[in-house]
Amino acid sequence: MTEVPPWTVTAARRRLASGDLSAVELTQLMLDRMQDTEPLVHAYAYIASELALEAARLADRRRAAGQDLPLLGIPLAVKDNMETFDAPTEVGSRVMRGYQPSRDATVVERIRAAGAVILGKTVTHEFAYGLDTPPTRNPWRLDCFPGASSAGSAVAVAAGSALAALGTDTAGSVRTPAALNGVTGLKPTYGRVSRAGVFPASPSLDHVGFLTRSVEDCAVLLEVTAGTDPRDPSCLADVLADLDPDRVPDLRGVRVAMERSYFFDYAEVQPGVREAADTAIAQLAELGAEVIEISIPELDLMSAVGSIINLADNSAWHRRLMRDRRSDYDPATRRMLTLGAMIPATAYANAHKARRVLAQAVRQAFEAHRLDALVGPTVPGVAHSLLTTLPLVPTPRLSPLVHHNYPGNLTGLPVLSIPCGFADGLPVGLAIMGRPLAERQIMRIGRAFQRSTDWHNRRPPLQGKSGMTE
Amino acid sequence: MDSRSVDRVIAAAELLGVAVSDDDLAWLADALAEQRAVEAVLDDLVLDEVDPLITFDPRWHD
């Protein structure tokens, strides 16, 4: 068995538990790594060095006193659209400059209660919505797009300056940066994880998710954070199934499908991405999964429905701030918010009706074909160069990216993105979408793939001050 | 982008009570045209009998 690399949460938990490593040593290692990598990748909006070391010292004392918590001493990063009582929450915007919340978002409370050490707040696009380009860069190629909007979280994990990170996903904002940075990303079922204390974008599309180095690590974070929350009435009361997939080492009895016309066979899908995804799916078949091709024509409406709901919801939330702080918004965000304010109410109402039709079509496909998952490339291309100036375009044209990701947000189904190869030297992600509340099953698929491949163990060739290379 | 389109945007924004920056007018005119095309995609769907995917729980919770 391949030795578990030292950068996963799971491996670090073992080393901390055995006494090989202290929380202070591990946290200092992350902070040292940050010093090397931040000048290159700019993953963090705020680094909480002293608070992190203090939390690490507390974790060591607690472990010495016999306490054991799921994330005791584990250094994590938090996307800067989640409130933290001890660090600013500026959401990538001048509008929120200096904002210091009085309490944590529920998801942050839960990881703290589990013993996590919070390293800092990661960069996000303005309000996790804007089309501006933050300074964050892809560690695989520093002139390349890091994805959005959980870019900082994905890059911190990819660059090794956090063992895992929290993110949010409204139209792919966990999965897209996961795929483009070669890390694992999970968007759980809608309502699994509380959104209380997280700046909203589009409330019925928003999900809290995770960026990690492995499927196992996603399972750890989901177990710690899932569950009802009186602060968020949309949270599901459904109990999380045991996520330990190790009991079932292969994929015999698993049935997955590809919807080629929507996810594979259109112009924007790069040949290298298609090839990597096809190869990965062939690997799933080697592991025992039954793979079929199906057609869900209703998917063609996903981007239209998603864009109407997303645009209108965001504009509604920002209405007062746009009235009072208009000039503090980035022009790209301001334009999107103005556009959303001009969407007819009838279009919004019909979009929510159409959404039910789409969700039902996906359900019918899963049931008729007895599927465990729908699989395909997470996004149609690899990270593009930022040296090429892209014109600002309104959604959905922006998005070959959201084209792949809106189905997961509109249906609320859980989606896992795992590294599955490279194209032109840049990472490619495979998305695995499951039935409602079936995180266990999609993690079983992802875990089996990661046992038999090493794409998720690859490191970007960053050369930092300490000379650390991977 | 022609001046008629921009004028329409200005008029529509005024009627809707939406403030628009001068710098955004041309972009907005293009974006609105594209957005109308996006909305038109849904026009052919028969949705009269469909309940929207928004639920409301009337129970009082503590």
Side-chain angles (χ1 to χ4, degrees):
Chain A
M1 182 184 241
T2 304
E3 185 179 0
V4 177
W7 306 108
T8 67
V9 169
T10 306
R13 288 201 315 175
R14 281 199 286 269
R15 294 184 79 176
L16 289 168
S18 71
D20 279 354
L21 193 64
S22 71
V24 169
E25 286 168 337
L26 182 55
T27 299
Q28 190 60 62
L29 205 55
M30 293 291 113
L31 294 172
D32 291 345
R33 180 73 175 174
M34 252 185 247
Q35 274 214 306
D36 288 341
T37 58
E38 277 299 286
L40 302 172
V41 300
H42 309 285
Y44 284 85
Y46 179 82
I47 298 171
S49 312
E50 288 312 312
L51 289 172
L53 286 168
E54 192 179 306
R57 283 189 286 270
L58 175 61
D60 284 334
R61 288 198 297 273
R62 292 171 88 173
R63 192 179 297 280
Q67 285 187 36
D68 187 22
L69 297 166
L71 295 174
L72 190 60
I74 298 292
L76 304 180
V78 173
K79 184 176 180 180
D80 197 26
N81 65 346
M82 300 180 182
E83 294 187 323
T84 43
F85 78 89
D86 58 356
T89 302
E90 297 188 335
V91 212
S93 181
R94 284 187 300 270
V95 177
M96 302 307 301
R97 185 163 289 156
Y99 173 54
Q100 179 64 61
S102 58
R103 70 178 290 188
D104 286 339
T106 296
V107 66
V108 177
E109 280 180 352
R110 289 182 179 177
I111 62 169
R112 272 200 228 262
V117 171
I118 295 176
L119 294 166
K121 308 297 289 296
T122 54
V123 172
T124 176
H125 283 64
E126 187 171 37
F127 287 104
Y129 184 58
L131 296 180
D132 58 304
T133 304
T136 309
R137 292 295 179 264
N138 193 309
W140 289 93
R141 203 172 289 164
L142 293 173
D143 64 345
C144 280
F145 184 54
S149 60
S150 306
S153 286
V155 167
V157 175
S161 60
L163 291 191
L166 302 183
T168 59
D169 191 312
T170 300
S173 294
V174 161
R175 292 162 283 159
T176 298
L180 298 184
N181 290 283
V183 300
T184 300
L186 175 67
K187 184 200 75 64
T189 306
Y190 181 80
R192 271 291 195 205
V193 182
S194 172
R195 293 173 295 111
V198 179
F199 275 75
S202 179
S204 71
L205 302 181
D206 292 342
H207 299 64
V208 171
F210 316 110
L211 292 304
T212 66
R213 297 222 68 97
S214 71
V215 174
E216 292 168 297
D217 289 358
C218 281
V220 172
L221 287 174
L222 185 61
E223 283 169 341
V224 166
T225 57
T228 55
D229 179 14
R231 294 170 67 194
D232 179 0
S234 72
C235 269
L236 300 174
D238 300 74
V239 172
L240 198 58
D242 178 4
L243 293 177
D244 179 8
D246 281 357
R247 296 178 209 163
V248 190
D250 60 34
L251 296 180
R252 280 173 294 173
V254 171
R255 199 167 153 87
V256 306
M258 298 186 287
E259 213 288 1
R260 292 207 72 93
S261 68
Y262 190 82
F263 291 108
F264 289 81
D265 297 335
Y266 67 97
E268 282 91 337
V269 179
Q270 294 173 1
V273 169
R274 190 184 295 117
E275 189 182 323
D278 279 335
T279 303
I281 294 166
Q283 179 64 18
L284 297 181
E286 281 290 307
L287 292 167
E290 187 178 353
V291 181
I292 64 170
E293 291 192 19
I294 65 170
S295 173
I296 313 176
E298 292 86 352
L299 290 177
D300 288 340
L301 297 172
M302 287 284 182
S303 287
V305 171
S307 73
I308 292 168
I309 293 172
N310 202 3
L311 281 165
D313 278 343
N314 272 281
S315 296
W317 193 87
H318 284 269
R319 188 173 172 84
R320 259 186 320 131
L321 284 173
M322 278 282 278
R323 181 193 66 200
D324 300 337
R325 302 286 303 276
R326 185 180 189 78
S327 59
D328 285 330
Y329 280 87
D330 181 88
T333 315
R334 185 185 68 221
R335 287 170 184 174
M336 297 280 284
L337 293 173
T338 307
L339 174 64
M342 299 178 79
I343 290 177
T346 46
Y348 182 76
N350 279 337
H352 273 293
K353 288 186 168 191
R355 185 179 178 182
R356 187 177 287 285
V357 172
L358 302 184
Q360 188 60 21
V362 172
R363 177 182 178 175
Q364 278 169 354
F366 267 81
E367 290 180 345
H369 298 285
R370 295 174 289 111
L371 299 179
D372 294 290
L374 202 55
V375 293
T378 305
V379 287
V382 295
H384 61 263
S385 171
L386 291 167
L387 299 178
T388 308
T389 304
L390 293 179
L392 287 176
V393 288
T395 55
R397 286 278 177 228
L398 174 64
S399 27
L401 301 178
V402 300
H403 172 92
H404 280 233
N405 286 303
Y406 264 136
N409 298 92
L410 287 166
T411 60
L413 298 179
V415 189
L416 181 69
S417 177
I418 54 173
C420 72
F422 286 80
D424 301 324
L426 290 163
V428 176
L430 182 74
I432 305 167
M433 173 161 36
R435 292 175 176 240
L437 306 170
E439 286 86 359
R440 176 184 176 148
Q441 193 66 321
I442 60 173
M443 287 190 186
R444 176 187 167 193
I445 297 168
R447 175 84 168 110
F449 184 83
Q450 288 188 343
R451 275 179 180 273
S452 65
T453 61
D454 75 339
W455 301 117
H456 62 293
N457 292 330
R458 303 290 181 92
R459 304 282 186 272
L462 280 174
Q463 185 102 43
K465 207 166 63 175
S466 67
M468 280 197 293
T469 54
E470 306 295 347
Chain B
M1 177 44 51
D2 62 69
S3 60
R4 271 190 62 186
S5 299
V6 167
D7 288 342
R8 282 186 190 140
V9 170
I10 294 170
E14 199 174 311
L15 286 169
L16 291 169
V18 176
V20 181
S21 307
D22 288 345
D23 289 347
D24 296 344
L25 282 168
W27 181 90
L28 202 51
D30 281 340
L32 279 167
E34 180 141 354
Q35 192 59 31
R36 294 291 91 82
V38 168
E39 290 157 20
V41 166
L42 304 187
D43 285 348
D44 291 332
L45 296 179
V46 177
L47 299 171
D48 304 336
E49 307 291 319
V50 179
D51 281 336
L53 203 68
I54 299 172
T55 59
F56 168 52
D57 181 357
R59 292 173 294 176
W60 296 353
H61 297 277
D62 291 327

